[in-house]
Amino acid sequence: TVNGVGTYTLTVSAPGGCTTFDTAQVTFSGTLPNANAGVDQVLMCSVGSVILNGSSTTANVTFSWTGPGIVSGGNTATPTVNAAGTYTLTVTDTATSCTNTDLVIVTQSATPPGASAGLDALLNCLVTNVNLNGSSPTPGSTFSWSGPSIVSGANTATPNINGPGSYTLTVTDPINGCI
């Protein structure tokens, strides 16, 4: 019994040392089903899961996925996954039982942006309000300040405050949604 295409050789040896051989050629006459696992996907802080987009142009097929983070739909064309890794789609033609595979790669972009709330500020009888000096080296970052006495600019890098207390700067990367 064989399960692959190719040339197979049978060798027969007689007790006196004589040998003879014959060959048999095994070919494949079917057509493999089309398998397309779709385009690579990226998980981000703001997107904890993605839907893969498998497909086949062959009629009457079944789908089966393998990979590290299949949440649901592992036997559909469009499973939901929540982990980075390589996902393999196996398409099976229900009429011939022939299978074909394709794979898609899911990566993760979860690097938080840099954040600096700046130096401490001092209020006194002469200086009754100051601008805080937040920053981030991450291009396009958004800023959000919280604290007891923000007068203006709570959604900028440099809000104006007029009261003592702790002020917290939250920086968000607009590309991957990480905070």
Side-chain angles (χ1 to χ4, degrees), residues 68-157:
I70 298 171
V71 176
S72 64
N75 291 320
T76 69
T78 55
T80 300
V81 302
N82 67 358
T86 300
Y87 292 84
T88 302
L89 169 64
T90 301
V91 176
T92 303
D93 186 329
T94 57
T96 65
S97 296
C98 291
T99 63
N100 199 2
T101 61
D102 191 24
L103 49 98
V104 64
I105 297 172
V106 175
T107 56
Q108 184 145 19
S109 175
T111 304
S116 173
L119 299 174
D120 291 344
L122 179 63
L123 296 173
N124 57 38
C125 293
L126 298 175
V127 179
T128 59
N129 67 350
V130 295
N131 284 345
L132 300 178
N133 192 16
S135 64
S136 175
T138 306
S141 293
T142 61
F143 302 92
S144 175
W145 287 88
S146 62
S149 300
I150 298 174
V151 176
S152 64
N155 292 319
T156 70

